[in-house]
Amino acid sequence: MLRGRRNIYRALGLIVVYVGGCCFSPLWAVDAQENCAASRMIRKAIKQVLPAAPKHWVGDGFHVHPVFSNKAFSAELSPFLMFDYAAPKYFGPSTERRGVGQHPHRGFETVTIAFSGEIEHADSTGQRDIIRAGDVQWMTAGRGIIHEEFMSTEFSKTGGDLEMCQLWLNLPHKHKMVKPGYQAITAGQIPNVPLSSGDLADGHVRVIAGDYNSTSGVASTFTPVNLWDIVMRAPSRPYTFDIPAGHNTVLFVRRGSIEVSDGDGSNQQLGGQQVAILEQPGTLLEITALEADTSVLLLGGEPIDEPIAAQGPFVMNTQAELQQAMHDFRSGRMGQ
């Protein structure tokens, strides 16, 4: 649910009406449906395929692929900044706390999705939460927050498989210094929408943010964002997805393998932990699972056309703002 979203905008003294994702002045309303239909027929082209990135440790609990590799913090993937994925890994029982201790953030949001295992979060605003399989933690750092992330005490005692990912989502300049916030989204709150076949047994889309097939995700966002957890149970069956034109779109193969129809009519295959970056033009995306029970994360959003200045846990627009963030953290004013 995009904050402040409206169906009718006033711009340059004219009423601009949005019809099915396309915009028209009433002067051209007669052709609105035809124009929308034509735009939907344009297939998204694949801009680049990224190989699975080598893993590294974040703290002592998260063994992650830096999914975006050298594309992290680039305009090509805006509004997304960074993506770490921890593939399924078994951790034995332990009395030690495993994870990442207290650290600050400013200027963006973190989105953590648990696929298996349990992750415990605590922050300087007083929030404390445990996310379990299927849950999502959406944290707005805004003007500043200090938090920690560990495997939960109970999970550490029993041990088990941990699989999770964390995305960093940029905030536009006007929202970088908002009050820190936290959205605890349980698996049961996330809409589970059948794929185009209409049968949940055939596959589904968990709509974490944005809109899929007239269903809106529960996450509240500052800019237009789609975050879909797609599961395709049956192989060799193509599925089509309607993607807003002009958005940056990324596909990540979490499990299994897929074939993506390219803009020139060819097909591109992707395996586990590979990434496809799509071109902005076009609205039609076609994906075919090559294995049963294939899982794909789709990340999409309206680009934030602003400079990106990033250093460590801070993402601002200028070097001066980064220096101020570091000064505020060292002086104990982070989040104030």
Side-chain angles (χ1 to χ4, degrees):
M1 296 178 289
L2 173 63
R3 287 186 174 96
R5 178 165 53 189
R6 298 184 180 96
N7 290 327
I8 301 176
Y9 293 84
R10 184 171 298 274
L12 301 176
L14 298 173
I15 296 294
V16 179
V17 183
Y18 281 75
V19 181
C22 299
C23 60
F24 306 94
S25 160
L27 291 175
W28 303 298
V30 173
D31 298 321
Q33 295 301 327
E34 289 83 353
N35 289 340
C36 272
S39 69
R40 290 194 188 101
M41 293 174 64
I42 301 174
R43 193 182 300 275
K44 285 275 189 186
I46 298 173
K47 184 176 185 179
Q48 187 176 359
V49 172
L50 304 180
K55 293 187 285 188
H56 69 270
W57 284 95
V58 176
D60 61 359
F62 308 115
H63 200 201
V64 303
H65 296 273
V67 174
F68 289 164
S69 190
N70 62 353
K71 297 292 182 180
F73 303 98
S74 70
E76 285 184 76
L77 304 182
S78 177
F80 294 95
L81 297 163
M82 193 187 76
F83 182 178
D84 279 346
Y85 170 69
K89 181 178 176 63
Y90 177 77
F91 290 87
S94 175
T95 57
E96 299 292 326
R97 298 188 78 197
R98 292 176 292 202
V100 182
Q102 289 190 349
H103 58 283
H105 289 303
R106 173 179 281 181
F108 63 101
E109 300 182 286
T110 66
V111 181
T112 306
I113 307 172
F115 300 109
S116 63
E118 295 183 353
I119 304 162
E120 185 170 352
H121 161 94
D123 66 44
S124 54
T125 71
Q127 289 285 347
R128 182 175 290 273
D129 190 29
I130 296 175
I131 60 172
R132 300 172 173 86
D135 295 347
V136 176
Q137 167 195 293
W138 198 295
M139 186 184 79
T140 303
R143 63 178 177 243
I145 200 167
I146 298 172
H147 79 140
E148 61 183 34
E149 301 157 292
F150 288 97
M151 298 179 196
S152 74
T153 302
E154 188 60 31
F155 179 78
S156 294
K157 286 180 181 178
T158 61
D161 288 327
L162 178 69
E163 181 188 7
M164 53 80 69
C165 72
Q166 186 172 97
L167 306 164
W168 287 17
L169 180 64
N170 204 6
L171 289 171
H173 182 265
K174 65 181 178 181
H175 294 308
K176 281 193 175 293
M177 298 296 283
V178 298
K179 181 180 178 180
Y182 186 86
Q183 299 177 68
I185 303 171
T186 63
Q189 294 175 298
I190 299 172
N192 207 21
V193 183
L195 288 170
S196 50
S197 68
D199 185 355
L200 274 174
D202 189 41
H204 62 265
V205 176
R206 293 204 315 145
V207 189
I208 298 169
D211 298 283
Y212 170 73
N213 203 15
S214 302
T215 298
S216 297
V218 67
S220 180
T221 66
F222 286 87
T223 60
V225 169
N226 282 325
L227 180 53
W228 303 343
D229 182 6
I230 304 169
V231 175
M232 294 170 282
R233 304 288 184 198
S236 305
R237 180 176 295 176
Y239 293 101
T240 58
F241 300 87
D242 191 15
I243 308 296
H247 279 205
N248 283 328
T249 307
V250 176
L251 297 175
F252 171 70
V253 182
R254 177 183 148 231
R255 181 179 63 239
S257 57
I258 62 173
E259 188 173 77
V260 181
S261 297
D262 207 342
D264 61 3
S266 63
N267 296 310
Q268 176 75 54
Q269 293 187 1
L270 282 79
Q273 286 79 65
Q274 283 192 296
V275 171
I277 302 172
L278 306 183
E279 298 280 7
Q280 289 185 6
T283 61
L284 178 65
L285 172 64
E286 184 175 285
I287 306 174
T288 302
L290 300 178
E291 302 175 44
D293 203 31
T294 287
S295 178
V296 175
L297 285 176
L298 182 146
L299 290 58
E302 183 177 274
I304 298 173
D305 188 19
E306 297 176 357
I308 298 172
Q311 184 171 340
F314 308 125
V315 183
M316 305 302 289
N317 295 114
T318 67
Q319 290 298 315
E321 291 168 342
L322 284 178
Q323 293 298 319
Q324 185 64 52
M326 288 184 276
H327 174 75
D328 289 347
F329 174 60
R330 289 193 295 264
S331 60
R333 295 202 300 270
M334 182 59 59
Q336 297 181 11

